[in-house]
Amino acid sequence: MASLRNTVLALAVAVAQAAKAGDSQKPIIQKHGSSGNPLNEDMAKFVQEALDLWHVPGMAVGVIDGDNIYTEGYGYATLPDVRATADTLWYGASTTKAQVAALLSHLIHSGNHSKLDNGWATPLSSIIRDDFVLQDEWATAHVTLDDAVSHRSGLGRHDLAMHRVRDGRPVSPGDSVRNLRNLAMTAEPRVRWSYCNFMYITLGHVLQTVTGVWLGEALQIHLWEPLGMTSTFFDTDDALNAPNHFAGGYAWNDKAGNYTTVPYMVVADASAAGAVISNVKDYAKWVKCLLDKSAPFSKETHADIRKPRMLISSDTDENRMDVMTYGLGWMRNNIHGQTVFQHSGGMHAYGAEVFWLPEINYGIVAFGNTASSSNSAELDVVYRLIEDKLNIPAKQRIDIRAKSMKVRDGLLTQETATKELFPDRPAKPLPGSFSIGQLAGHYKDEGWGDVTFTEAEDPEDATKTVLVGPRDDAAFRHTFTLRHITGDYWLVEAAMLGNSPYTTVYYKATFVPGVDGGPAAMELDTGKEGDGIIVFTKFG
């Protein structure tokens, strides 16, 4: 979704831009901050203030400072009265990717799997040939493990094409990979960085093919068990049945002034793209392993993890050159002259942030229970902790909150989306070629799946009628609501459970006629989302 897909990413880019601004101050750091517990009473007040500002029920934070680990919970894991603690479980979302990429590197360097003998240059099709087919023949044959792990395959994001159920049965990672042939490429491979969950799902399928075991089990064997990560899971039911409490998910309703509960999300289909569920205690062990370059990984794997692989963005001027790159599930940049590896995670009602600074042996993990807004609250805390550690003077600190607010204030609404997507619309809408009754019915795109539209009263204006199409089988469950703009053009609102502005995206749609003069298809223009035009053919 725009917010789920792009808001968390926009926050990450804002982090990089803020870091550049901070670096331009060129602070002279004489020594690092105290090695005492940073999660003190002052920090507790700061965290609560961030939770209140961003409307997030709860958060857990972990700090790794050399050999010391500090963890704490704040606010509520589940409303109205279950407090968040360091043991509380949360969705790790896209922070999963770094663990999966590290596992792949570990298996490559082990030398125990002949299918990985060519290392990162191994074409995906050489391992899962029957399943891995892209719409470009050259890309099918040549996209490698390195391309997939670095988000440079050329495939669009297509997050709304991710499904948990199709044709009445659960979707496996292999099913998702086989659906790639139905999804448009948006660039040639290795031309530009384009974040793609489907490619990490593909890597998960590769790992299961190579090891012969479920990816959750492989992670357990090679990573979680050696590190003592006993509260980390790869299945929602396993987490719900665990001794530790699994935080509930929420969306803030600004009009009502309260929270909407959002159901737990099945993660089997997300797999390597975002299925890990864990707590800050376990994640602190993972980050400490990265900082220490310790077992269970070899020096070669740790070198892989820190290696830049794809340029995300660069900014040059007369005084400096700043570059943000992507590696094995990590963005790499600088904060106040310190190298930082970081990755965000965003789910339907959860957010995660993981940062580690190898030069000062310092790391932070944070989890929260709203979509995207919890990332903003976490970034407030992360930057406060980092800058406290570095003894950055107040005037030289990065205003990360202002960056996050700029992203938040840029979220589209129905009104602003209409203006942006239909700038040339007439003052008086033109009639369409079809009645709304003709447009109702069942539509399907092979890649994105099915949707059935019915007529309904517009919840925003009782005098108008809209088309409503729930897509409950999608991984990120959402509903299409179509509002007529002019002629055969419609505004599409795709809202996830909870109807948070952070998880709502707007598209432009056009209905096209068939040979019989009736509506034959809906063309969904994904615009800035970059997935091209998705053609939903009408079947009834």
Side-chain angles (χ1 to χ4, degrees), residues 51 56-60 73-85 87-91 239-240 244-251 259-264 349-350 367-370:
L51 293 175
V56 181
M59 182 191 300
Y74 305 93
Y76 294 93
T78 301
L79 296 171
D81 55 8
V82 180
R83 301 287 301 187
T85 73
D87 293 307
T88 301
L89 300 176
W90 317 76
Y91 287 98
L240 287 169
N244 296 340
H245 182 74
F246 191 171
Y250 300 92
Y259 289 102
T260 298
T261 302
V262 182
Y264 293 106
Y350 299 82
F367 297 118
N369 51 353
T370 61

Side-chain angles (χ1 to χ4, degrees), residues 120 146 149-150 152 304 307-311 325-328:
W120 290 106
D146 209 355
V149 83
S150 305
R152 63 187 194 200
D304 267 354
K307 178 183 177 180
R309 293 171 181 271
M310 186 62 184
L311 178 69
T325 60
Y326 198 88
L328 298 193

Side-chain angles (χ1 to χ4, degrees), residues 139-367:
T140 298
H142 292 89
V143 166
T144 65
L145 296 175
D146 209 355
D147 297 327
V149 83
S150 305
H151 296 304
R152 63 187 194 200
S153 68
L155 184 70
R157 288 198 63 151
H158 296 286
D159 283 351
L160 294 193
M162 294 172 61
H163 279 70
R164 58 189 180 88
V165 176
R166 287 197 78 165
D167 299 324
R169 66 179 184 83
V171 171
S172 69
D175 294 328
S176 294
V177 175
R178 286 183 285 275
N179 191 39
L180 298 182
R181 66 198 68 196
N182 301 312
L183 303 177
M185 303 280 289
T186 59
E188 294 290 329
R190 303 167 196 155
V191 170
R192 64 180 176 87
W193 185 81
S194 180
Y195 197 87
C196 184
N197 284 313
F198 267 107
M199 276 297 154
Y200 265 79
I201 293 173
T202 301
L203 290 175
H205 186 42
V206 165
L207 283 165
Q208 291 185 164
T209 300
V210 169
T211 63
V213 301
W214 176 52
L215 181 55
E217 182 179 348
L219 287 166
Q220 177 72 33
I221 293 170
H222 296 284
L223 176 59
W224 303 339
E225 189 173 301
L227 290 178
M229 296 171 65
T230 58
S231 297
T232 301
F233 306 94
F234 211 66
D235 178 85
T236 303
D237 286 339
D238 289 345
L240 287 169
N241 292 323
N244 296 340
H245 182 74
F246 191 171
Y250 300 92
W252 175 254
N253 185 323
D254 203 40
K255 291 182 180 179
N258 57 26
Y259 289 102
T260 298
T261 302
V262 182
Y264 293 106
M265 177 176 168
V266 174
V267 293
D269 54 279
S271 184
V276 167
I277 299 165
S278 189
N279 61 23
V280 292
K281 287 185 175 179
D282 273 13
Y283 257 55
K285 296 173 183 177
W286 157 233
V287 172
K288 193 173 190 308
C289 165
L290 298 173
L291 289 167
D292 294 345
K293 297 185 182 179
S294 63
F297 298 132
S298 65
K299 63 180 182 180
E300 290 82 9
T301 290
H302 281 291
D304 267 354
I305 290 170
R306 299 188 183 203
K307 178 183 177 180
R309 293 171 181 271
M310 186 62 184
L311 178 69
I312 298 177
S313 65
S314 63
D315 180 42
T316 61
D317 62 24
E318 294 179 357
N319 299 315
R320 68 187 190 277
M321 179 177 70
D322 285 288
V323 175
M324 181 162 66
T325 60
Y326 198 88
L328 298 193
W330 296 107
M331 294 179 181
R332 174 174 171 160
N333 199 49
N334 287 278
I335 294 178
H336 296 295
Q338 300 290 326
T339 299
V340 58
F341 293 86
Q342 68 95 7
H343 208 289
S344 302
M347 293 291 271
H348 62 308
Y350 299 82
E353 295 288 342
V354 183
F355 281 64
W356 49 287
L357 292 76
E359 291 158 356
I360 59 171
N361 205 22
Y362 193 75
I364 303 168
V365 300
F367 297 118

